[in-house]
Amino acid sequence: MAASAVEKIEIDVPIKATPQQFFEVLCNKTHHISNVCPDVVKGIDLHEGDWGTEGSIISWNYVFGK
């Protein structure tokens, strides 16, 4: 059985959006984040639940330490 690791990652990404637009993408359209910063986020997959709902399980595929 594989062990999973949960860690905190921070990155500064310049965005051209209002706070409301950013919130909408981050909370309800998470799957679009890889379109916003494709050099860092390679993809986001929904494994269980629905986009934008509490308790959903998603995985982030990203480049770390570029």
Side-chain angles (χ1 to χ4, degrees), residues 20-44:
Q20 294 81 8
Q21 291 170 325
F22 177 75
F23 180 82
E24 177 68 19
V25 170
L26 189 63
C27 294
N28 299 319
K29 299 179 181 176
T30 311
H31 54 288
H32 289 295
I33 293 176
S34 60
N35 298 333
V36 175
C37 49
D39 55 325
V40 177
V41 179
K42 298 301 180 185
I44 302 173

Side-chain angles (χ1 to χ4, degrees), residues 46-65:
L46 177 68
H47 295 283
E48 188 175 303
D50 295 310
W51 293 110
T53 61
E54 186 176 338
S56 295
I57 299 173
I58 60 174
S59 64
W60 294 61
N61 300 308
Y62 55 89
V63 176
F64 181 71

